[in-house]
Amino acid sequence: MSNMAALDTLERPLRDLRISVTDRCNFRCPYCMPKEVFGRDYSFLPREELLSFEEITRLARIFVANGVEKLRLTGGEPLLRRDLETLVSMLAEIDGVEDLAMTTNGSLLAPRANILKAAGLKRVTISVDSLDEAVFKVMNDVDFPLDAVLEAIEAANDAGLTPIKLDMVVKRGVNDADILDMARYFRGSGHIVRFIEYMDVGNTNGWRLDDVVPAAEIISRINAVWPIEPLPANYPGEVAERFRYVDGKGEIGVIASVTQPFCGGCTRARLTADGQLFTCLFATKGYNLKKLLRAGASNAEIERYIRSVWGARDDRYSELRASNTIPLEKVEMSRIGG
Ligand code: SAM
Ligand code: SF4
Ligand code: SF4
């Protein structure tokens, strides 16, 4: 297989693969899986449509041979997929994987942190949208208690799934009053809180620009209380802008996908639980890798297909958002995995 990273039409290399392992979730965050849409009647993928662990690992191996260095498990809620640690251990064995991480809502993590670490998971990103119990419940919309997620953060820390990132999607008028609380609570903990601009992913969350709190505003609110200064990016194409507290109490990040898009450095491919390859979070069309796998394609054929899809990639939705007037049929976040 080729060792050269595939380049797209804007010369962006393929470096990251986000693997969604399920489209199901035990939360109903209104910005992602609003209850009215993802209700009792919603048809999630049937089991046979999901890629098996062997199929995921085979594809991941091909992606890694074509430039991918970082793998991230996501969903839906990845910990709803049975025996996830088995998949982790299979992925951890692939030569050339520099980073193996998972994004989770934390609800099921506490009892499994050690076993995931032992299987080869390096670190976790845990979504925490508020430290106010009532607001947290509005954000998950299933009455899930905050304590269990705080316990998961402890458990992940004890297991060494570090550095832990804590992602907070900020929605104006819903949880933006909790920005300073999040900063205060985790200052000095060694965990990195990242404030994320609410995005117009999918078609179901009723996104409006007025709901977005621009990253610049988040930064200035924090800076007014605890002065912060910018840090250089860890690597080219890092999506979060990094800051450190001037008093040495650690680091925070902001992800300004709406107000300061970063498509120029976007090196991510996304694989859905049913084996569709997406080249952008806002893509309207996926490429069916499952079909190839199940039709008996060879590794070389699959590699050729992936390289041709990536080679034709010209996505830069966020940069074009301002001029986009036609609503698109975009893929849902719970399917593509964020
Ligand atoms: N269930 C896991 C979780 O919540 O961490 C993993 C999947 S979730 C789709 C991945 C990330 O996408 C989460 O941090 C979530 O907050 C974020 N997300 C979902 N919808 C979003 C939106 N409309 N704007 C910004 N971030 C969003
Ligand atoms: Fe579930 Fe994560 Fe989406 Fe919330 S953001 S509904 S936890 S997939
Ligand atoms: Fe990457 Fe698409 Fe997001 Fe731009 S809009 S940063 S191309 S995922």
Side-chain angles (χ1 to χ4, degrees):
M1 281 192 265
S2 168
N3 285 319
M4 294 280 291
L7 290 183
D8 70 8
T9 61
L10 302 170
E11 305 216 349
R12 296 169 297 187
L14 171 57
R15 289 276 180 239
D16 314 77
L17 179 65
R18 300 174 71 97
I19 303 171
S20 172
V21 292
T22 177
D23 60 337
R24 291 165 203 259
C25 189
N26 54 344
F27 282 14
R28 285 294 177 273
C29 310
Y31 55 72
C32 177
M33 294 179 78
K35 253 183 189 163
E36 315 78 68
V37 179
F38 295 86
R40 266 206 194 113
D41 301 336
Y42 187 83
S43 34
F44 289 99
L45 291 168
R47 202 177 161 71
E48 63 277 11
E49 294 297 323
L50 298 182
L51 292 187
S52 67
F53 290 169
E54 287 71 22
E55 288 172 323
I56 293 174
T57 307
R58 184 170 165 213
L59 288 178
R61 219 177 265 288
I62 298 173
F63 275 98
V64 170
N66 285 279
V68 164
E69 295 167 346
K70 298 182 177 188
L71 300 178
R72 175 173 295 275
L73 299 174
T74 177
E77 174 45 44
L79 290 170
L80 286 179
R81 181 84 185 243
R82 212 177 307 147
D83 295 330
L84 191 71
E85 37 282 350
T86 303
L87 175 64
V88 169
S89 65
M90 291 162 74
L91 295 174
E93 274 173 21
I94 300 176
D95 264 349
V97 175
E98 285 176 14
D99 195 12
L100 179 52
M102 174 174 71
T103 303
T104 171
N105 64 25
S107 60
L108 305 164
L109 178 62
R112 287 167 75 187
N114 279 320
I115 202 164
L116 286 160
K117 174 71 185 183
L121 190 68
K122 293 210 168 126
R123 52 197 187 88
V124 286
T125 297
I126 302 177
S127 304
V128 194
D129 290 333
S130 176
L131 293 171
D132 176 311
E133 183 77 22
V135 178
F136 184 71
K137 287 180 170 168
V138 168
M139 293 300 277
N140 66 54
D141 211 13
V142 291
D143 235 15
F144 196 86
L146 177 65
D147 273 358
V149 177
L150 296 180
E151 266 169 44
I153 297 170
E154 288 292 305
N157 191 47
D158 294 346
L161 290 167
T162 50
I164 298 174
K165 290 184 181 154
L166 301 167
D167 280 4
M168 171 180 181
V169 175
V170 181
K171 206 171 164 189
R172 193 180 294 283
V174 182
N175 66 341
D176 64 318
D178 305 339
I179 292 172
L180 291 179
D181 265 356
M182 278 289 279
R184 181 184 300 110
Y185 189 87
F186 291 109
R187 261 166 56 80
S189 68
H191 311 325
I192 303 168
V193 177
R194 302 191 310 169
F195 300 92
I196 303 180
E197 287 179 355
Y198 170 45
M199 292 183 291
D200 51 337
V201 264
N203 309 294
T204 56
N205 62 12
W207 184 87
R208 297 176 321 140
L209 190 54
D210 290 351
D211 296 332
V212 178
V213 181
E217 183 181 330
I218 297 173
I219 292 163
S220 79
R221 285 202 213 172
I222 295 172
N223 188 53
V225 184
W226 302 286
I228 50 177
E229 60 189 16
L231 281 170
N234 281 317
Y235 51 88
E238 186 171 37
V239 296
E241 262 183 275
R242 303 167 63 215
F243 295 84
R244 65 181 284 278
Y245 290 111
V246 172
D247 65 7
K249 286 283 177 70
E251 178 181 334
I252 59 167
V254 289
I255 302 185
S257 5
V258 177
T259 60
Q260 294 154 253
F262 34 76
C263 301
C266 181
T267 56
R268 298 171 163 192
R270 297 174 155 87
L271 181 65
T272 62
D274 61 341
Q276 308 287 314
L277 170 63
F278 283 85
T279 56
C280 176
L281 190 50
F282 299 93
T284 52
K285 169 176 185 286
Y287 300 89
N288 198 339
L289 299 184
K290 181 177 65 185
K291 198 166 143 203
L292 272 184
L293 282 171
R294 296 193 180 172
S298 67
N299 284 355
E301 284 166 332
I302 297 172
E303 170 176 292
R304 252 200 314 279
Y305 184 63
I306 292 172
R307 289 187 80 92
S308 75
V309 168
W310 192 265
R313 174 182 189 247
D314 63 358
D315 306 284
R316 49 192 196 95
Y317 176 88
S318 288
E319 289 182 351
L320 300 173
R321 180 186 279 111
S323 56
N324 253 340
T325 44
I326 309 157
L328 300 169
E329 274 302 306
K330 292 171 292 194
V331 63
E332 291 302 324
M333 189 70 145
S334 51
R335 177 148 184 251
I336 198 170

